[in-house]
Amino acid sequence: MTGPREPHDPDRGRSTGDHPRHENHPGFANYPPTTRRVGGRRQPLPPLHPVDSGPTEEIRQPGPGAPKPPPIPRKLTVTRVAAMRSRELTNKGIATFHRAAKADGADKSGLTALTYAVMANFATDAAIAVALANTLFFSAATGEDKTKVALYLLITIAPFAVIAPLIGPMLDRLQHGRRLALASSFALRTVLAVLLVFNFDSWALYPAALGMMVLSKSFSVLKSAVTPRVLPPEIDLVRVNSRLTVFGLIGGTIGAGAVAGIIAFATGSTGVLWFAALLTTLGAYLSMRIPAWVEVTEGEVPATLTYHGNDAHTEVIGADRKETVKASKRRQPLGRTVITGLWGNSTIRVMTGFLTLYIAFVAKSRTGHEPLEQAAMLGLVGAAAGIGNFAGNAAGARIKLGRPTVVVLRCTAAVTAVAILVALTDSLLTAALAALVASGASALAKVSLDASLQDDLPEESIASGFGRSETVLQLSWVIGGALGVLLPTQYWIGFSVVSVLLTFGLVQTVLSYRGSSLLPGLGGKRPDVANQEITKPISTAD
């Protein structure tokens, strides 16, 4: 079902992460027998070009299938030399990108195909954001027309707030066709992008933009459930998720966003929407390139956020009884470490969602019709957020997380403290600092949550657990984004309200870590690693 890992044992406590690996999904037939690495370090990547082992002419000559070097022109000019050098650097850059995307056996497990699909999703979001910026976002950001603000809030926030609780259960029932579901999320966005091209100045703009947002969030949840099934044997889910995010940010958000900006400058929003339609078409194709073994869901046990224990309606079953009860009848509650990580990450996501929309509204209201000043303000905060996000994911991919819940607690405390600092100072510079800290903490805390999910859930529940967690985090971002739209544009007011909410989340995270809770059934009053539950009465499998 998923990548290789140690069998789940609720009584073992948390593992150290050095699991013996065994074959689990069909893609592992592509690998030779694995050798255990010494010291837990990765093997270095192979050189980009083969190194000559001797001065013989046979080694220096390219093979029959090797690409021929570009011919050297008889007359060298500055222009020709620059063109040759540019072509050489471009080819090397493309080769390095492909090598990184296929590193650690990702091409054999199917991770490379998923990486390209994730990049297409990031790129589509960036292109749509550029295309709709002037029409939807900045028209609402002026705050002069409350109807526009309400429409913007309805399109960007309300839909997913309603749909998010339904995605997890729907995902559990989707036993086949998850590749098709990923591809459909792109195909439907292609239709909506074309619809936007011909209805950019009509009422159809709003429902089409609404559909774009919902389909993008749905892809994120589906991706989280598919990721464990394309796990290579040499890396774990923590590093896989960090890798997907880094590729998405660099190749999708930054790369496609820059191209979309150039197209918008040259042709306006219509050209960007055609570019988005091209990206979504490519994304649908890339989704179907993901290996077919991600469809293998037999024996999966859905994960649940709540924990009932041995109450009047449920019964906790041990490993000895799991084989006598159908998987569809069992439920896997998330343990205390995972719940603690979820509370901390949800608190941080409220902050990142708030900053994403609030700073842009502040920039528009304070700069009026000064585009350069507005761009500088947004650029400062955006650059800080980008640096923090990249640094957090890069650090999470390299460090070894021995106690992930402690990392989550510290990240949550840091984000709460910086929000209070902005409320007290009422300064743009501290707001940029908040974006830096929040984005970095969000990335690092998410990596820690991934580690807890991988270590504490049994094999048959790990995909459902990732889908559930992603749904909760998306919904938390929605809450923060709603606050960013609704709150006044004075820093001290906006950040004071958010600080109160973050303080509640921090307290709940600490209590969950200590085995208590402010909310019954959703806190840490449960084992670190929970046994599966069944609803009474229950019949055994046939």
Side-chain angles (χ1 to χ4, degrees), residues 44-68:
L45 293 175
L48 186 59
H49 299 291
V51 179
D52 291 343
S53 59
T56 62
E57 185 68 22
E58 290 77 14
I59 294 178
R60 286 196 296 266
Q61 289 295 332
K68 295 181 180 180

Side-chain angles (χ1 to χ4, degrees), residues 1-63:
M1 283 177 292
T2 67
R5 55 197 291 273
E6 191 175 69
H8 176 71
D9 182 3
D11 300 322
R12 61 175 166 80
R14 299 196 73 256
S15 64
T16 61
D18 296 328
H19 304 305
R21 295 181 176 268
H22 59 277
E23 183 174 322
N24 238 315
H25 64 61
F28 277 40
N30 298 328
Y31 297 95
T34 58
T35 56
R36 191 173 182 84
R37 292 182 303 211
V38 179
R41 297 180 63 86
R42 297 187 192 180
Q43 295 293 333
L45 293 175
L48 186 59
H49 299 291
V51 179
D52 291 343
S53 59
T56 62
E57 185 68 22
E58 290 77 14
I59 294 178
R60 286 196 296 266
Q61 289 295 332

Side-chain angles (χ1 to χ4, degrees), residues 79-103:
T79 303
R80 288 177 176 175
V81 171
M84 290 176 59
R85 185 59 177 167
S86 176
R87 189 162 53 247
E88 179 185 357
L89 292 176
T90 301
N91 291 335
K92 286 185 177 181
I94 294 174
T96 302
F97 168 79
H98 283 295
R99 182 180 61 162
K102 297 177 181 179

Side-chain angles (χ1 to χ4, degrees), residues 109-176:
S109 70
L111 177 59
T112 300
L114 179 61
T115 300
Y116 293 153
V118 169
M119 290 175 60
N121 187 64
F122 274 75
T124 301
D125 289 345
I128 292 298
V130 172
L132 301 182
N134 288 325
T135 300
L136 282 180
F137 185 77
F138 288 117
S139 64
T142 59
E144 298 171 356
D145 188 347
K146 295 298 182 182
T147 302
K148 289 183 178 179
V149 175
L151 283 172
Y152 183 77
L153 183 65
L154 177 67
I155 289 169
T156 57
I157 305 300
F160 197 70
V162 175
I163 293 173
L166 305 177
I167 291 181
M170 289 173 60
L171 194 62
D172 291 333
R173 292 179 175 85
L174 187 61
Q175 294 300 308
H176 298 285

Side-chain angles (χ1 to χ4, degrees), residues 267-281:
T267 64
S269 296
T270 301
V272 181
L273 288 172
W274 283 117
F275 176 59
L278 177 64
L279 290 173
T280 53
T281 303

